[in-house]
Amino acid sequence: MIMRTTSRPSPSLSATGTIQWLLNLATRLLARSLNMPEPLVHNTGVFVFAQVVAVENSVGRTLCPIRLWHQFRNWSRRWER
């Protein structure tokens, strides 16, 4: 009789697999509810994510505290003259 030890997968691998499975399920359910093919839903999501990142970066540069401080300082200097 040969005894074999069963090795359990590490929790990180199972968590990663579970998250991937949930993302695939969410994509499939969204595609079915929108009556669209799954690849189109996935690519649209990637496109929207890229657009959101671009907007956040441009707004982040505009609302940078140091840049705002410089603008305020220049604005206040004009009024002092």
Side-chain angles (χ1 to χ4, degrees):
M1 174 182 232
I2 298 174
M3 298 284 295
R4 295 182 190 210
T5 58
T6 57
S7 62
R8 295 177 56 185
S10 69
S12 63
L13 290 177
S14 62
T16 305
T18 303
I19 291 170
Q20 186 63 40
W21 183 82
L22 287 172
L23 286 173
N24 288 340
L25 178 64
T27 303
R28 181 169 290 164
L29 290 175
L30 181 62
R32 289 186 126 219
S33 69
L34 295 174
N35 198 19
M36 295 171 57
E38 286 180 50
L40 183 61
V41 171
H42 177 73
N43 291 335
T44 304
V46 170
F47 176 74
V48 169
F49 177 76
Q51 291 289 36
V52 168
V53 168
V55 168
E56 286 179 348
N57 287 339
S58 66
V59 169
R61 272 189 240 112
T62 303
L63 297 178
C64 174
I66 296 171
R67 185 175 180 168
L68 288 174
W69 173 250
H70 289 289
Q71 287 178 351
F72 175 73
R73 192 174 59 194
N74 292 335
W75 177 75
S76 64
R77 285 181 184 166
R78 279 191 245 152
W79 286 102
E80 290 176 2
R81 294 181 190 174

